[in-house]
Amino acid sequence: MKLYDLTQPIGINTPPWPTYEPLEVKYFKRLSTHRVNGQLIKTSNHVGTHLDGERHFWTAGRDIASIPLEDLVHEGVIVDLSDIGEYGIYTSKDITDRVEVKEGDILIIYTGFSKYAWYQPDADEEAYMIKHPGPTIEFAEWCKKMKIRWIGVDCGSADHPMNTVIRQLRPDLAEECDRVMREKYGKGLDDFFKPEHRQLMHTELFPHHIIHVENIGGDIEKILNRRMLIGCFPWRFVDGESSICRVVAFDLEG
């Protein structure tokens, strides 16, 4: 069995999602004085590769500790959507034209924006967090129909960045996105994203137990458009709304 690690490395230089607290690490014991090294960490749950849990956007949702292993580890597909491009929109057809998706699958989406992640030679935090593609409500409805277990993305958010608070935080790039969309699709931001569907990948899907992992990375480029056994391994976190995690794809044929 061959293993593929789909997890970003994480450290104090890993950027959190905009407006969230970064990772802080310090030593409280050192070998020189205590004969042992010990560290303390302080972080939000939205740094590096992490699982957005139901309670992140749904008060009545399951905490991280309550998610069954059968939901976290299952067969699934990794689909290459890197041709969608900056500020692009992807649909369910973009997925099904490239891979076969079965009911109950895990779905990992490669946008190509992991090349801009903080640890890459072409690191670009602005592009990584703010310019990646994303879906509309059509895609969310398809995910519910297919009973997708969880979704993974190799960028800052499972939602289109301009369907999040980023649109208000960076009005300059919102204007740029609107221009790009009108040139490419003949429609602008307000046409794609209605106020009632803000952060739809969170608000629409979490009550249906369809959650997602953001900041997928690692070996993802080695297994595009393939079906594999996929596992997400967060903390068994009581009352956790989300959790930093490890994501692994298992090639059972070796």
Side-chain angles (χ1 to χ4, degrees):
M1 178 170 55
K2 188 171 178 58
L3 306 181
Y4 294 90
D5 193 342
L6 307 185
T7 315
Q8 285 189 10
I10 188 170
I12 60 171
N13 289 318
T14 308
W17 200 78
T19 74
Y20 281 74
E21 292 290 321
L23 175 70
E24 299 177 29
V25 182
K26 70 177 182 180
Y27 282 91
F28 71 96
K29 287 188 177 184
R30 296 301 301 239
L31 276 167
S32 57
T33 50
H34 300 98
R35 298 184 178 182
V36 64
N37 282 328
Q39 295 174 322
L40 295 174
I41 64 170
K42 177 183 177 182
T43 186
S44 66
N45 295 318
H46 301 271
V47 181
T49 306
H50 64 276
L51 176 67
D52 273 11
E54 294 171 16
R55 287 196 185 175
H56 184 36
F57 269 75
W58 181 33
T59 304
R62 299 177 297 185
D63 65 2
I64 295 296
S66 301
I67 303 171
L69 281 175
E70 291 77 11
D71 285 0
L72 295 171
V73 182
H74 195 268
E75 193 174 309
V77 289
I78 303 92
V79 60
D80 182 1
L81 296 187
S82 58
D83 60 318
I84 301 295
E86 270 192 8
Y87 298 127
I89 296 294
Y90 54 79
T91 67
S92 61
K93 188 175 185 298
D94 291 311
I95 305 292
T96 56
D97 280 351
R98 292 164 170 82
V99 294
E100 179 189 5
V101 181
K102 300 177 182 179
E103 185 175 298
D105 267 349
I106 290 168
L107 175 64
I108 293 182
I109 297 168
Y110 175 71
T111 68
F113 275 70
S114 50
K115 66 184 177 184
Y116 299 124
W118 72 276
Y119 61 96
Q120 300 281 28
D122 295 326
D124 183 337
E125 186 175 332
E126 189 174 84
Y128 182 81
M129 293 290 186
I130 305 178
K131 297 186 178 184
H132 62 81
T136 65
I137 190 65
E138 178 275 334
F139 181 79
E141 295 297 334
W142 174 79
C143 289
K144 286 188 277 189
K145 177 183 176 182
M146 294 300 297
K147 300 179 182 178
I148 298 296
R149 271 178 166 73
W150 56 266
I151 297 159
V153 292
D154 73 321
C155 52
S157 176
D159 269 299
H160 194 287
M162 292 304 162
N163 195 30
T164 73
V165 70
I166 289 175
R167 184 172 174 179
Q168 285 72 49
L169 294 174
R170 291 298 304 269
D172 56 328
L173 294 182
E175 290 181 10
E176 179 181 88
C177 176
D178 191 68
R179 288 195 301 271
V180 170
M181 285 182 164
R182 291 185 184 280
E183 291 172 4
K184 188 172 183 178
Y185 303 110
K187 297 190 292 184
L189 274 174
D190 289 337
D191 300 302
F192 281 111
F193 302 120
K194 305 300 182 185
E196 62 268 28
H197 295 150
R198 183 179 175 187
Q199 291 201 246
L200 58 94
M201 294 297 287
H202 299 73
T203 56
E204 294 287 335
L205 295 185
F206 287 7
H208 294 269
H209 305 305
I210 303 172
I211 52 182
H212 55 247
V213 174
E214 295 166 329
N215 301 333
I216 293 282
D219 297 328
I220 187 170
E221 292 182 358
K222 299 178 181 178
I223 54 173
L224 300 177
N225 296 329
R226 290 185 59 186
R227 173 166 293 276
M228 306 187 80
L229 179 66
I230 302 168
C232 173
F233 305 98
W235 297 351
R236 196 170 183 178
F237 189 3
V238 175
D239 293 328
E241 49 90 13
S242 299
S243 177
I244 293 169
C245 65
R246 197 86 179 244
V247 177
V248 181
F250 303 84
D251 184 353
L252 300 180
E253 298 179 359

